[in-house]
Amino acid sequence: MEIVKAVASEKNVPSNIQAVCHRMMLDDASKLRRVDCSGICLKSLDESHVDLVTRTWKFARNREVVGMIRNMARNFPSCCVLDAEGKPVSWILTYVSGAIGVLYTLPEHRGKGYAKVLISSMAKKFFGHGYPVFCFIEEENLVSYQLFKSMGFSEDPSYRATWSEFNF
Ligand SMILES: CC(C)(COP(=O)(O)OP(=O)(O)OC[C@H]1O[C@@H](n2cnc3c(N)ncnc32)[C@H](O)[C@@H]1OP(=O)(O)O)[C@@H](O)C(=O)NCCC(=O)NCCS
């Protein structure tokens, strides 16, 4: 990243590192923590939910990112928990890379086990199709790191992913 930043600066290209992330994998279906899904209504997201997802996602600051979320909601696996009125209160999507992410629970619904149910549901779906199960967690997001660890994921300590923006 130092080299990339130095080259950008030499060329007068504005650059910004948005996030430095751990990569966490669930390498074996038997390691997936069992969670109780009873009484929880799950559904896939669709395009009508793009606004809700982008409003609550801290990286959705420009049109490109909104377009990325729209593509994810339209074309890739996703899952959400619905409330009694059928509105999503917690959700997870899949990036083009195949990583699961953009996990979010509305603040008033946190601590009810929804994120655990969503991770479990997506992991089972991916394992069922023979796809790898992995995600990227920002280094400072300890709640999320602990959450994925408790679900059976482990970190590759030699790996970091960064999200950077140039010419923004
Ligand atoms: C991280 C997040 C998705 C968890 O959602 P949630 O539905 O509340 O999660 P759950 O109820 O399934 O709880 C999962 C774990 O999170 C932790 N947790 C949940 N609520 C917490 C709170 N208020 N304070 C600290 N830890 C908490 C607990 O470790 C819990 O596991 P445990 O019950 O086995 O102890 C939610 O806090 C959130 O949306 N945060 C902001 C966005 C974010 O960081 N997303 C993750 C990006 S990878």
Side-chain angles (χ1 to χ4, degrees):
M1 281 320 301
E2 290 314 311
I3 293 170
V4 172
K5 277 198 287 186
V7 172
S9 148
E10 196 185 297
K11 310 265 180 208
N12 286 324
V13 172
S15 68
N16 177 31
I17 296 180
Q18 289 188 307
V20 180
C21 303
H22 298 287
R23 183 177 64 175
M24 301 189 76
M25 297 220 46
L26 185 63
D27 48 22
D28 185 338
S30 68
K31 292 185 183 160
L32 180 64
R33 174 176 168 184
R34 284 168 192 273
V35 294
D36 180 13
C37 305
S38 54
I40 296 180
C41 184
L42 296 177
K43 195 183 160 228
S44 292
L45 291 168
D46 61 44
E47 221 172 323
S48 70
H49 303 121
V50 170
D51 190 44
L52 175 65
V53 173
T54 51
R55 251 190 290 126
T56 48
W57 198 43
K58 68 177 191 174
F59 295 111
R61 285 194 296 238
N62 55 43
R63 270 204 325 222
E64 285 75 20
V65 180
V66 176
M68 182 186 91
I69 297 286
R70 178 167 295 108
N71 181 38
M72 291 162 76
R74 205 191 260 168
N75 300 311
F76 290 81
S78 64
C79 193
C80 69
V81 174
L82 300 176
D83 68 7
E85 288 154 17
K87 288 196 207 115
V89 295
S90 181
W91 49 84
I92 190 166
L93 292 94
T94 306
Y95 291 98
V96 174
S97 66
I100 54 173
V102 198
L103 174 64
Y104 190 86
T105 302
L106 295 177
E108 61 275 28
H109 290 278
R110 289 190 187 160
K112 298 179 180 177
Y114 291 164
K116 281 182 280 195
V117 167
L118 292 174
I119 296 166
S120 167
S121 164
M122 290 289 268
K124 283 180 192 160
K125 187 183 286 190
F126 276 46
F127 277 129
H129 286 94
Y131 295 139
V133 180
F134 66 105
C135 65
F136 295 102
I137 306 294
E138 274 185 279
E139 277 184 335
E140 59 271 25
N141 195 342
L142 295 180
V143 170
S144 197
Y145 182 86
Q146 280 308 330
L147 165 60
F148 278 88
K149 257 202 133 153
S150 80
M151 292 302 296
F153 286 64
S154 51
E155 179 203 342
D156 176 352
S158 66
Y159 193 106
R160 286 293 183 280
T162 65
W163 286 1
S164 312
E165 54 183 356
F166 297 96
N167 261 339
F168 45 91

